[in-house]
Amino acid sequence: MDGRELVRSVRVFGSVQGLRAVRSAWRQRRTDAWGLPPRGAERARVPGPVGEVEPLPGGGIVRFARSELRISVSAGGTVFWGWDGAGQLPSYALAGEAPDPDPRARLEPDTDGGWRVVSERVTVAVSRHGAVEIRTPGGVVLRRDLPPRWWEPVAGGPARWVQRSEVPADARFFGLGGRASGPRLRDGTYRLWNTDPKGRFSPGDDPLYITMPVQFVVADAGTHLAFHDSTWDGRVTLTEGEEGAGSGHDRPGTSEVRMSGGPLRCWVVVGTPARVLHGWAALTGAPALPPSWALGAQHARWGFGSEREVRRVVDGYRERGLPLSVLHLDIDHYDAHQVFTVDRERFPDLPGLASELRERGVRLVSIVDPAVKAERGNAVYDSGTAAGAFVRDARGEEVHGVVWPGDCAYPDFTDAAVREWWGGLYEERLAQGFSGVWHDMNEPVSFAPFGDLTLPRSARHALEGRGGDHREAHNVYGLTMARAGYEGLRRLRPDERPFLFSRSGWAGMQRYGGTWSGDVATGWPGLRASLSLVLGLGLCGVPYSGPDIGGFDGSPSPELFLRWYQLGAWMPLFRTHAAIDAGRREPWEFGPEVLEHARVALAERERLLPYFVTLSQLARLTGAPYIRPVWWGAPEDRALRDCDDAFLVGDALLVAPVLARGADRRAVRLPRGRWYDTATGQAYDGPGQVLLDAPWSRIPVLARAGAVVPVRGEDGGLELEVWAPAAGRTGGGLVVRDTGDGWESGVIERYASRLVDGRVVVERVTDEGSAEAGLPVRVRGAEG
């Protein structure tokens, strides 16, 4: 640390907090100095030549001179391989037990001294030196993992490793969690270490709050997802391939995964994009289903400051006829920023306020941070101390960091008993009238003027009884906190689905809720990063997310706020939010013109709420994200793979947000088929590119010909909006009705559309055949 860093720390956190952060950072370094012995000399190792094999159901074990490889193909076609005895469990990513192996798939000899496992959906081939190929049933290679390499400390300790892989020359990479520079990941190195970017971020910043070793790869040969199941710090270096001209050779795309520890094991799911994410959800857990009210407009601000200001904002929405479903309270409603408390001066009757707002159709959601003020007399700290709940160092002393309340201790959420204790604390939040929670600062964060804002790497964790340190626990800290909160809310209110979203997480976090962008920088680059994050997270199995509309840290111009609001209206989580000194985010604060255009975007979101309810139910059942890349239904279209400025909402709608200052037209690349401009009714045929008007009043939205979309009618009831099929073509759609906030399963209703003598006919499709739709139908895109 130099003087400038000290000055910056004091300026950001205040003189007292800044000096505490400096002391905490030095303390962390000293702790790691004696808590983590130096690695010393290392010995490199590769598998060596193949030896004997042991066939097992679904695959088997291939033994090499210096390692062994276990392969298993499940009945659903999901591939697992693990080196050095690494098994499928334990794993924080998996939802429960590992999938059953396919009894029909067996290990058998392959060419050139190798071995292979052949199943209905995939073939896995292992070379005599340890390369692993994932092939389609037709024999086309989707991925080739070269023989790995380990570096093992001579004196003992965790081995670091590298796994290099090749993909087809035309392949494109997506995923790796929440990446601001996506959704397509260009050539570069991406770190796997959940990180607070120190106040704000824009597209060039990496890593961010949610990193996952999940690669989603799209190529002509097919689509696959590869997940390297290690929670340790790592880096992924991606290089796109290049096809040779004429008779020249192709240069394959490459991926290099370097991990500082943990098992070397991988899961691979192959198929269409929809099938891949269905298989991923089957493996890591179905996404939590948000209550229907969480699909409406939400408003947050760090700095409401009082019940009076909360009422003023809610009144502002109502007086202007703007729907509002949720209002979020940030840390300023706590007593001295201490979690599970209330500032009684500024919020003298929080339960009364919550009840009043709920009668007006607005739910309250509370922020919850993991850091607990380490002070005797603090009820949460005292009970946590008695329960032995807090993270300790190798000497058995509590690990403290500096967060908003001051010196803080951190619960060890990798301990089941601690999760149960923490989950019980949410009873206080429910008693205050809150309907849901959002987890913040759970990477976890400890303020420091240099280095990572987190705990010492030598800090000890339970890790479900296995024991280990923060190097292994860091990336799953947010995930396990989400589990503690979700399970606690389920116990406390078993008849209601919990509403929870978390700033940090890891593979499988969708089981407990969603996420949001975190502190995205105010500016046009931040607007673009918002879209990248949501699309990328959806491809990693997290369908419910959204940005801080307007950006977190600055004052957006009226144009920027409006374009962000128009984008946000199509995100699963539709929420405005801002820092305490970043100005307001109420739509009327930006002038009458912005207010009227924001009203239109908000009204369209409200009209389409039945569609978003359907998408949330389908995400729960299939793993498919609400919003999807435009190549979702046509991954073989190379032009669509490179399109990162538009997206699909379900299968029916294509949205092209305005991402640049002053733009009033948008070039939009269409997938194949006919598409209608929903504002003008003009029809366009894809594939191809069209130029559409994008005035301040709207962004381009197109509907797929034949689509059947559930919407809210003028009387508030459910009706079907049907876009006329092209001549000689049919269409359709799915509807899942709102079943309330409980656990009742939704019923999927299927509808088909077709042209009969120039007239659009819509029918409900059942197991017994076709019948009348049974709902009001409004046809668009055709006369009559």
Side-chain angles (χ1 to χ4, degrees):
M1 180 184 66
D2 59 23
R4 286 174 298 180
E5 290 174 321
L6 175 59
V7 170
R8 185 184 309 117
S9 175
V10 172
R11 182 182 301 130
V12 171
F13 304 125
S15 58
V16 175
Q17 289 287 63
L19 292 174
R20 284 175 175 168
V22 171
R23 288 197 299 269
S24 176
W26 281 117
R27 188 165 58 240
Q28 174 178 321
R29 288 194 172 187
R30 288 197 306 270
T31 300
D32 281 344
W34 55 257
L36 290 178
R39 292 183 65 87
E42 294 181 319
R43 181 185 297 110
R45 174 169 60 91
V46 295
V50 70
E52 61 181 11
V53 301
E54 179 183 348
L56 297 169
I61 300 174
V62 182
R63 296 185 173 89
F64 297 84
R66 291 176 290 278
S67 188
E68 70 176 33
L69 173 68
R70 176 183 291 271
I71 298 174
S72 178
V73 180
S74 75
T78 300
V79 177
F80 171 83
W81 53 255
W83 287 95
D84 283 352
Q88 300 169 339
L89 298 171
S91 170
Y92 278 107
L94 269 60
E97 295 299 318
D100 293 330
D102 184 350
R104 300 166 298 176
R106 294 279 179 171
L107 193 63
E108 60 185 39
D110 199 10
T111 59
D112 197 25
W115 295 83
R116 69 180 181 181
V117 179
V118 179
S119 70
E120 181 180 359
R121 295 182 179 177
V122 67
T123 296
V124 185
V126 182
S127 78
R128 58 193 177 96
H129 290 293
V132 179
E133 287 187 353
I134 307 297
R135 303 172 182 167
T136 67
V140 179
V141 176
L142 294 175
R143 185 181 191 90
R144 185 169 191 263
D145 293 297
L146 304 177
R149 189 178 185 92
W150 295 266
W151 288 269
E152 300 166 325
V154 173
R160 57 190 180 93
W161 52 262
V162 61
Q163 175 68 69
R164 297 182 175 93
S165 309
E166 296 178 348
V167 297
D170 64 282
R172 295 291 182 262
F173 295 100
F174 302 84
L176 294 184
R179 303 289 168 169
S181 59
R184 172 186 163 195
L185 301 176
R186 264 64 173 188
D187 295 358
T189 298
Y190 302 86
R191 191 179 177 195
L192 299 170
W193 187 254
N194 292 350
T195 302
D196 179 352
K198 302 184 180 181
R200 65 173 187 171
F201 70 88
S202 55
D205 292 315
D206 186 90
L208 298 179
Y209 314 98
I210 300 173
T211 65
M212 299 182 194
V214 177
Q215 299 178 27
F216 200 103
V217 185
V218 184
D220 286 354
T223 301
H224 75 272
L225 179 150
F227 167 54
H228 292 86
D229 192 356
S230 170
T231 66
W232 288 61
D233 191 2
R235 283 176 167 79
V236 179
T237 300
L238 302 177
T239 305
E240 292 182 349
E242 185 177 355
E243 293 182 300
S247 59
H249 293 290
D250 289 351
R251 176 174 60 79
T254 61
S255 161
E256 180 184 273
V257 179
R258 287 183 176 269
M259 287 288 188
S260 59
L264 175 44
R265 56 185 179 178
C266 185
W267 293 88
V268 181
V269 189
V270 303
T272 64
R275 175 170 285 180
V276 165
L277 282 183
H278 191 195
W280 179 239
L283 184 67
T284 62
L289 183 64
S292 56
W293 50 262
L295 298 173
Q298 307 187 36
H299 189 92
R301 191 203 311 157
W302 177 15
F304 279 123
S306 68
E307 291 186 5
R308 178 180 179 181
E309 177 65 6
V310 169
R311 289 189 176 93
R312 187 195 71 83
V313 170
V314 174
D315 289 343
Y317 274 87
R318 292 295 178 258
E319 291 166 1
R320 294 167 178 83
L322 303 176
L324 179 66
S325 294
V326 184
L327 189 136
H328 301 245
L329 295 187
D330 211 315
I331 56 173
D332 53 291
H333 86 279
Y334 282 132
D335 181 9
H337 297 157
Q338 297 182 60
V339 68
F340 300 118
T341 65
V342 176
D343 185 330
R344 298 297 180 182
E345 291 187 7
R346 293 184 293 170
F347 292 87
D349 183 15
L350 192 51
L353 175 66
S355 177
E356 170 193 328
L357 296 183
R358 189 161 182 166
E359 290 178 0
R360 302 173 67 183
V362 179
R363 309 283 184 129
L364 277 185
V365 166
S366 170
I367 191 171
V368 174
D369 290 353
V372 177
K373 185 174 179 63
E375 181 179 75
R376 294 296 181 185
N378 174 6
V380 176
Y381 180 70
D382 289 345
S383 68
T385 301
F390 298 117
V391 175
R392 296 180 178 270
D393 62 24
R395 297 175 179 175
E397 300 294 327
E398 279 184 6
V399 172
H400 287 182
V402 177
V403 200
W404 303 116
D407 289 329
C408 292
Y410 296 80
D412 181 7
F413 297 114
T414 69
D415 185 327
V418 175
R419 289 196 295 269
E420 184 173 2
W421 163 75
W422 183 264
L425 299 177
Y426 289 75
E427 184 174 10
E428 183 274 342
R429 294 287 88 185
L430 296 178
Q432 296 295 343
F434 290 107
S435 298
V437 296
W438 53 296
H439 288 172
D440 202 358
M441 309 292 285
N442 58 339
E443 290 69 36
V445 172
S446 174
F447 294 150
F450 52 84
D452 292 330
L453 308 184
T454 188
L455 303 185
R457 293 180 176 237
S458 60
R460 304 299 298 172
H461 291 264
L463 290 167
E464 317 308 325
R466 303 190 310 276
D469 58 43
H470 198 66
R471 293 174 297 177
E472 184 177 358
H474 173 84
N475 280 336
V476 295
Y477 191 87
L479 170 74
T480 51
M481 181 186 178
R483 178 179 178 181
Y486 182 84
E487 292 177 346
L489 291 170
R490 285 204 63 172
R491 289 193 305 270
L492 292 166
R493 288 199 177 163
D495 296 331
E496 293 184 14
R497 299 196 304 272
F499 177 55
L500 182 152
F501 61 102
S502 173
R503 191 170 80 171
S504 184
W506 201 65
M509 65 179 293
Q510 74 277 356
R511 299 191 293 265
Y512 314 117
T515 184
W516 88 104
S517 66
D519 301 342
V520 60
T522 298
W524 293 96
L527 171 60
R528 181 177 286 273
S530 297
L531 175 58
S532 299
L533 284 161
V534 178
L535 284 171
L537 286 163
L539 294 176
C540 292
V542 185
Y544 183 84
S545 65
D548 283 347
I549 293 173
F552 179 74
D553 69 320
S555 298
S557 68
E559 180 188 11
L560 175 60
F561 175 81
L562 176 61
R563 293 310 194 186
W564 217 317
Y565 200 85
Q566 290 168 333
L567 168 66
W570 295 98
M571 298 287 103
L573 172 59
F574 177 23
R575 183 180 90 143
T576 60
H577 186 42
I580 194 167
D581 57 351
R584 302 184 185 279
R585 291 291 185 270
E586 293 86 63
W588 56 89
E589 296 290 344
F590 296 89
E593 184 178 8
V594 169
L595 172 60
E596 290 312 308
H597 298 329
R599 186 193 307 279
V600 172
L602 183 52
E604 185 66 357
R605 172 61 173 242
E606 289 290 307
R607 192 179 73 89
L608 285 165
L609 276 179
Y611 187 47
F612 277 90
V613 168
T614 295
L615 294 177
S616 70
Q617 294 273 2
L618 294 178
R620 171 75 174 173
L621 295 170
T622 70
Y626 306 28
I627 74 165
R628 309 159 186 181
V630 291
W631 47 258
W632 178 262
E636 71 283 354
D637 188 330
R638 296 188 179 186
L640 293 179
R641 287 183 217 156
D642 297 337
C643 178
D644 57 8
D645 61 355
F647 57 94
L648 299 174
V649 181
D651 288 329
L653 302 174
L654 190 157
V655 178
V658 173
L659 304 175
R661 179 188 293 111
D664 60 3
R665 305 195 82 188
R666 262 296 317 257
V668 182
R669 183 161 293 280
L670 302 178
R672 63 175 177 263
R674 175 164 293 177
W675 297 84
Y676 295 98
D677 185 325
T678 57
T680 66
Q682 177 69 41
Y684 302 93
D685 290 321
Q689 182 169 284
V690 296
L691 188 63
L692 301 178
D693 290 333
W696 267 43
S697 59
R698 59 182 172 86
I699 56 176
V701 178
L702 299 106
R704 190 189 301 271
V708 178
V709 182
V711 299
R712 181 180 289 172
E714 293 182 1
D715 61 355
L718 181 66
E719 68 179 35
L720 303 178
E721 183 170 82
V722 182
W723 292 88
R729 307 298 297 269
T730 60
L734 305 176
V735 177
V736 183
R737 306 195 191 203
D738 187 1
T739 57
D741 298 339
W743 298 95
E744 181 182 352
S745 299
V747 176
I748 298 178
E749 302 174 11
R750 301 178 182 273
Y751 294 89
S753 64
R754 55 194 175 96
L755 285 175
V756 177
D757 297 328
R759 184 174 62 90
V760 176
V761 175
V762 181
E763 298 172 317
R764 182 172 178 182
V765 181
T766 66
D767 293 340
E768 289 74 31
S770 299
E772 291 186 3
L775 287 170
V777 174
R778 186 162 74 101
V779 176
R780 300 187 64 184
E783 295 183 2

Short mmCIF file of all heavy atoms in Angstrom, two decimals, residues 468-491:
data_model
loop_
_atom_site.label_atom_id
_atom_site.label_comp_id
_atom_site.label_asym_id
_atom_site.label_seq_id
_atom_site.Cartn_x
_atom_site.Cartn_y
_atom_site.Cartn_z
N GLY A 468 -11.60 -26.95 5.67
CA GLY A 468 -10.80 -26.33 4.63
C GLY A 468 -10.66 -24.85 4.90
O GLY A 468 -11.02 -24.37 5.98
N ASP A 469 -10.15 -24.14 3.93
CA ASP A 469 -9.93 -22.71 4.15
C ASP A 469 -10.66 -21.88 3.10
O ASP A 469 -11.37 -22.41 2.23
CB ASP A 469 -8.44 -22.37 4.20
CG ASP A 469 -7.68 -22.78 2.94
OD1 ASP A 469 -8.21 -22.54 1.83
OD2 ASP A 469 -6.57 -23.32 3.06
N HIS A 470 -10.45 -20.57 3.19
CA HIS A 470 -11.22 -19.65 2.36
C HIS A 470 -10.89 -19.76 0.87
O HIS A 470 -11.69 -19.34 0.04
CB HIS A 470 -10.98 -18.21 2.83
CG HIS A 470 -12.03 -17.25 2.36
ND1 HIS A 470 -13.34 -17.32 2.77
CD2 HIS A 470 -11.96 -16.20 1.50
CE1 HIS A 470 -14.04 -16.36 2.18
NE2 HIS A 470 -13.23 -15.67 1.40
N ARG A 471 -9.75 -20.32 0.54
CA ARG A 471 -9.44 -20.52 -0.88
C ARG A 471 -10.49 -21.40 -1.54
O ARG A 471 -10.82 -21.21 -2.72
CB ARG A 471 -8.06 -21.15 -1.02
CG ARG A 471 -6.90 -20.26 -0.58
CD ARG A 471 -5.59 -21.01 -0.62
NE ARG A 471 -5.57 -22.13 0.33
CZ ARG A 471 -4.55 -22.99 0.45
NH1 ARG A 471 -3.47 -22.85 -0.32
NH2 ARG A 471 -4.60 -23.97 1.32
N GLU A 472 -11.02 -22.36 -0.80
CA GLU A 472 -12.04 -23.26 -1.33
C GLU A 472 -13.44 -22.74 -1.09
O GLU A 472 -14.36 -23.00 -1.88
CB GLU A 472 -11.88 -24.64 -0.69
CG GLU A 472 -12.83 -25.69 -1.22
CD GLU A 472 -12.59 -27.06 -0.63
OE1 GLU A 472 -11.65 -27.20 0.18
OE2 GLU A 472 -13.35 -28.00 -0.97
N ALA A 473 -13.62 -21.98 0.00
CA ALA A 473 -14.97 -21.56 0.40
C ALA A 473 -15.40 -20.23 -0.21
O ALA A 473 -16.61 -19.95 -0.26
CB ALA A 473 -15.05 -21.47 1.93
N HIS A 474 -14.46 -19.41 -0.65
CA HIS A 474 -14.79 -18.04 -1.05
C HIS A 474 -15.88 -18.00 -2.12
O HIS A 474 -16.89 -17.29 -1.98
CB HIS A 474 -13.54 -17.33 -1.57
CG HIS A 474 -13.83 -15.98 -2.14
ND1 HIS A 474 -13.92 -14.84 -1.37
CD2 HIS A 474 -14.06 -15.58 -3.41
CE1 HIS A 474 -14.19 -13.80 -2.14
NE2 HIS A 474 -14.28 -14.22 -3.39
N ASN A 475 -15.72 -18.73 -3.20
CA ASN A 475 -16.65 -18.61 -4.32
C ASN A 475 -18.04 -19.15 -4.01
O ASN A 475 -19.00 -18.81 -4.71
CB ASN A 475 -16.08 -19.32 -5.56
CG ASN A 475 -15.06 -18.47 -6.28
OD1 ASN A 475 -15.06 -17.25 -6.17
ND2 ASN A 475 -14.16 -19.11 -7.01
N VAL A 476 -18.17 -19.98 -2.98
CA VAL A 476 -19.50 -20.51 -2.64
C VAL A 476 -20.06 -19.84 -1.40
O VAL A 476 -21.11 -20.27 -0.89
CB VAL A 476 -19.47 -22.04 -2.46
CG1 VAL A 476 -19.15 -22.72 -3.77
CG2 VAL A 476 -18.49 -22.47 -1.36
N TYR A 477 -19.42 -18.78 -0.90
CA TYR A 477 -19.92 -18.11 0.29
C TYR A 477 -21.32 -17.53 0.03
O TYR A 477 -22.25 -17.73 0.80
CB TYR A 477 -18.95 -17.01 0.72
CG TYR A 477 -19.26 -16.45 2.09
CD1 TYR A 477 -18.74 -17.04 3.23
CD2 TYR A 477 -20.07 -15.34 2.25
CE1 TYR A 477 -19.02 -16.54 4.50
CE2 TYR A 477 -20.37 -14.83 3.51
CZ TYR A 477 -19.83 -15.44 4.63
OH TYR A 477 -20.13 -14.94 5.88
N GLY A 478 -21.47 -16.80 -1.07
CA GLY A 478 -22.77 -16.23 -1.41
C GLY A 478 -23.82 -17.30 -1.68
O GLY A 478 -24.99 -17.15 -1.32
N LEU A 479 -23.40 -18.39 -2.33
CA LEU A 479 -24.32 -19.50 -2.61
C LEU A 479 -24.84 -20.10 -1.32
O LEU A 479 -26.06 -20.34 -1.16
CB LEU A 479 -23.59 -20.56 -3.43
CG LEU A 479 -24.31 -21.90 -3.63
CD1 LEU A 479 -25.45 -21.74 -4.62
CD2 LEU A 479 -23.35 -22.98 -4.09
N THR A 480 -23.96 -20.36 -0.36
CA THR A 480 -24.39 -20.99 0.88
C THR A 480 -25.18 -20.02 1.75
O THR A 480 -26.07 -20.44 2.50
CB THR A 480 -23.19 -21.55 1.64
OG1 THR A 480 -22.17 -20.53 1.77
CG2 THR A 480 -22.59 -22.74 0.89
N MET A 481 -24.89 -18.72 1.66
CA MET A 481 -25.72 -17.74 2.36
C MET A 481 -27.14 -17.73 1.77
O MET A 481 -28.13 -17.66 2.50
CB MET A 481 -25.11 -16.35 2.27
CG MET A 481 -25.92 -15.28 3.00
SD MET A 481 -25.29 -13.62 2.72
CE MET A 481 -26.48 -12.66 3.66
N ALA A 482 -27.24 -17.80 0.44
CA ALA A 482 -28.55 -17.86 -0.20
C ALA A 482 -29.31 -19.10 0.25
O ALA A 482 -30.52 -19.05 0.50
CB ALA A 482 -28.40 -17.83 -1.71
N ARG A 483 -28.60 -20.20 0.37
CA ARG A 483 -29.26 -21.43 0.84
C ARG A 483 -29.79 -21.24 2.25
O ARG A 483 -30.92 -21.63 2.56
CB ARG A 483 -28.29 -22.61 0.79
CG ARG A 483 -28.89 -23.90 1.30
CD ARG A 483 -27.90 -25.05 1.22
NE ARG A 483 -28.49 -26.28 1.76
CZ ARG A 483 -27.85 -27.44 1.84
NH1 ARG A 483 -26.59 -27.54 1.40
NH2 ARG A 483 -28.45 -28.50 2.35
N ALA A 484 -28.97 -20.62 3.12
CA ALA A 484 -29.40 -20.40 4.50
C ALA A 484 -30.66 -19.54 4.55
O ALA A 484 -31.61 -19.84 5.28
CB ALA A 484 -28.27 -19.74 5.29
N GLY A 485 -30.68 -18.44 3.77
CA GLY A 485 -31.84 -17.57 3.77
C GLY A 485 -33.06 -18.23 3.18
O GLY A 485 -34.18 -18.12 3.73
N TYR A 486 -32.89 -18.93 2.07
CA TYR A 486 -34.02 -19.57 1.40
C TYR A 486 -34.64 -20.65 2.29
O TYR A 486 -35.87 -20.70 2.45
CB TYR A 486 -33.54 -20.18 0.08
CG TYR A 486 -34.61 -20.85 -0.74
CD1 TYR A 486 -35.41 -20.10 -1.60
CD2 TYR A 486 -34.83 -22.22 -0.66
CE1 TYR A 486 -36.41 -20.71 -2.36
CE2 TYR A 486 -35.82 -22.83 -1.41
CZ TYR A 486 -36.61 -22.07 -2.27
OH TYR A 486 -37.58 -22.68 -3.01
N GLU A 487 -33.79 -21.49 2.87
CA GLU A 487 -34.33 -22.56 3.72
C GLU A 487 -34.95 -22.00 4.98
O GLU A 487 -35.96 -22.53 5.48
CB GLU A 487 -33.22 -23.56 4.04
CG GLU A 487 -32.76 -24.34 2.82
CD GLU A 487 -31.60 -25.29 3.12
OE1 GLU A 487 -30.97 -25.15 4.21
OE2 GLU A 487 -31.31 -26.15 2.27
N GLY A 488 -34.38 -20.91 5.52
CA GLY A 488 -34.98 -20.27 6.68
C GLY A 488 -36.36 -19.71 6.38
O GLY A 488 -37.31 -19.89 7.15
N LEU A 489 -36.49 -19.03 5.25
CA LEU A 489 -37.78 -18.47 4.87
C LEU A 489 -38.82 -19.56 4.63
O LEU A 489 -39.99 -19.41 4.97
CB LEU A 489 -37.63 -17.59 3.63
CG LEU A 489 -36.84 -16.29 3.83
CD1 LEU A 489 -36.54 -15.63 2.48
CD2 LEU A 489 -37.62 -15.32 4.72
N ARG A 490 -38.38 -20.68 4.06
CA ARG A 490 -39.31 -21.80 3.84
C ARG A 490 -39.79 -22.37 5.17
O ARG A 490 -40.97 -22.73 5.30
CB ARG A 490 -38.63 -22.90 3.02
CG ARG A 490 -38.49 -22.58 1.55
CD ARG A 490 -38.38 -23.83 0.71
NE ARG A 490 -39.58 -24.65 0.80
CZ ARG A 490 -39.81 -25.74 0.03
NH1 ARG A 490 -38.91 -26.10 -0.86
NH2 ARG A 490 -40.91 -26.43 0.16
N ARG A 491 -38.90 -22.48 6.14
CA ARG A 491 -39.32 -22.99 7.44
C ARG A 491 -40.27 -22.03 8.14
O ARG A 491 -41.24 -22.44 8.77
CB ARG A 491 -38.10 -23.24 8.34
CG ARG A 491 -37.23 -24.41 7.94
CD ARG A 491 -36.26 -24.77 9.05
NE ARG A 491 -35.43 -23.65 9.46
CZ ARG A 491 -34.25 -23.35 8.92
NH1 ARG A 491 -33.77 -24.09 7.92
NH2 ARG A 491 -33.55 -22.33 9.37
#
